[in-house]
């Protein structure tokens, strides 16, 4: 377990921050007038988790495992939706939020791979 904290600190931090953001009560969401802002937020949050995991897997020379990043981020999105449904009274769970989580992870995955490749070429 200590090894995970040592090699993936940013991923663990981002996962924890997303957990707090998704489970804390929010009365009047910012930008509530923007259409589908909730779905866009989910796509950014879980795409961010995927991207950070890809970055840390690359830095730890685990390039062959990077394919798990979008799957792990999407599954984590499903877990968060279940936690919102069963552990909170202030948040609701929606299938479309889970879909947005998965879309964000899948869309940002190739972008994260491209960014990692560009940084590796500059070294």
């Amino acid at each position: 377990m200590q090894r995970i904290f040592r090699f993936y600190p940013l991923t663990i931090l981002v996962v924890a921050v997303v957990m707090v953001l998704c489970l804390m009560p929010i009365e009047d969401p910012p930008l509530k007038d923007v259409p589908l802002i909730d779905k866009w937020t989910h796509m950014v949050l879980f795409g961010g988790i995927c991207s950070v995991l890809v970055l840390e897997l690359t830095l730890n020379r685990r390039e062959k495992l990077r394919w798990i990043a979008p799957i792990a981020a999407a599954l984590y999105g499903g877990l968060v939706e279940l936690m919102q449904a069963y552990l909170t009274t202030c948040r609701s769970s929606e299938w479309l939020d889970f879909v947005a989580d998965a879309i964000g992870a899948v869309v940002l995955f190739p972008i994260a791979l491209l960014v990692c490749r560009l940084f590796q070429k500059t070294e």
Side-chain angles (χ1 to χ4, degrees):
M1 192 68 153
Q2 183 182 15
R3 183 179 174 142
I4 292 173
F5 289 114
R6 192 170 86 200
F7 290 111
Y8 303 99
L10 291 176
T11 301
I12 293 168
L13 177 66
V14 171
V15 164
V17 167
V18 168
M19 172 82 64
V20 170
L21 290 174
C22 289
L23 296 180
M24 67 186 237
I26 185 166
E27 293 180 22
D28 194 22
L31 303 173
K32 64 183 174 188
D33 297 331
V34 176
L36 300 173
I37 189 63
D38 179 48
K39 305 311 177 241
W40 288 107
T41 304
H42 278 267
M43 288 192 304
V44 168
L45 289 174
F46 291 90
I49 290 172
C50 176
S51 299
V52 171
L53 182 55
V54 167
L55 171 70
E56 288 193 318
L57 285 167
T58 302
L59 291 174
N60 291 315
R61 309 256 187 247
R62 303 273 188 220
E63 288 90 355
K64 291 183 180 182
L65 295 176
R66 292 186 296 195
W67 62 270
I68 67 167
I71 296 168
L75 289 175
Y76 183 64
L79 175 66
V80 167
E81 290 304 315
L82 290 172
M83 292 174 74
Q84 285 179 337
Y86 295 110
L87 299 179
T88 68
T89 57
C90 59
R91 301 298 293 258
S92 64
S93 176
E94 294 181 36
W95 277 105
L96 288 179
D97 286 348
F98 173 62
V99 171
D101 301 340
I103 289 171
V106 169
V107 167
L108 285 180
F109 177 64
I111 295 169
L113 289 175
L114 181 64
V115 169
C116 287
R117 187 171 296 145
L118 290 174
F119 280 118
Q120 285 178 330
K121 285 184 180 180
T122 61
E123 292 179 356

